[in-house]
Amino acid sequence: MTEDPYLEMVYEHWEDILKWYNLFVAKRPVMLFDVQEQRIYAYPYKEFKEDMNQRSQAILQDQYRRAQRNNQMVVFVRDNNEEKLVSYSLDLA
């Protein structure tokens, strides 16, 4: 696998993440996996972006646009215990 524990969590929950993504596929949501809650969320891009600081908004905007062009989804992993929020662009196909 990988040396990235958050990416491994995404892969462990991939089927469920993909299922939730596909429920809202027309809206091209941003996905979030919460480590402590062990829950998956699908957020509208605009609302998710608005909750970020200006620098993070710019990074997300670029990542989201590239993901759209490359048939990918943006998946965030939130770990409140470690105060981390990491993102990945992962292939849909």
Side-chain angles (χ1 to χ4, degrees), residues 8 10 13 16 23 25 39 51 62 64 72 75 83 89:
E8 286 187 23
V10 169
H13 297 277
D16 291 327
L23 287 173
V25 70
R39 291 189 66 183
D51 283 342
D62 181 55
Y64 187 79
Q72 296 175 322
V75 180
E83 297 182 355
S89 296

Side-chain angles (χ1 to χ4, degrees), residues 28-43:
R28 305 287 288 194
V30 172
M31 303 304 295
L32 172 72
F33 176 73
D34 187 290
V35 174
Q36 281 71 41
E37 295 178 5
Q38 292 288 295
R39 291 189 66 183
I40 299 162
Y41 298 89
Y43 287 100

Side-chain angles (χ1 to χ4, degrees), residues 1 3 5 8 10 14 19 23 37-38 41 53 57 61-62 68-69 75 88-89:
M1 271 289 217
E3 295 291 323
E8 286 187 23
V10 169
W14 182 248
K19 178 183 77 173
L23 287 173
E37 295 178 5
Q38 292 288 295
Y41 298 89
N53 65 38
Q57 284 182 8
Q61 181 174 316
D62 181 55
Q68 299 299 297
R69 285 194 306 269
V75 180
Y88 305 94
S89 296

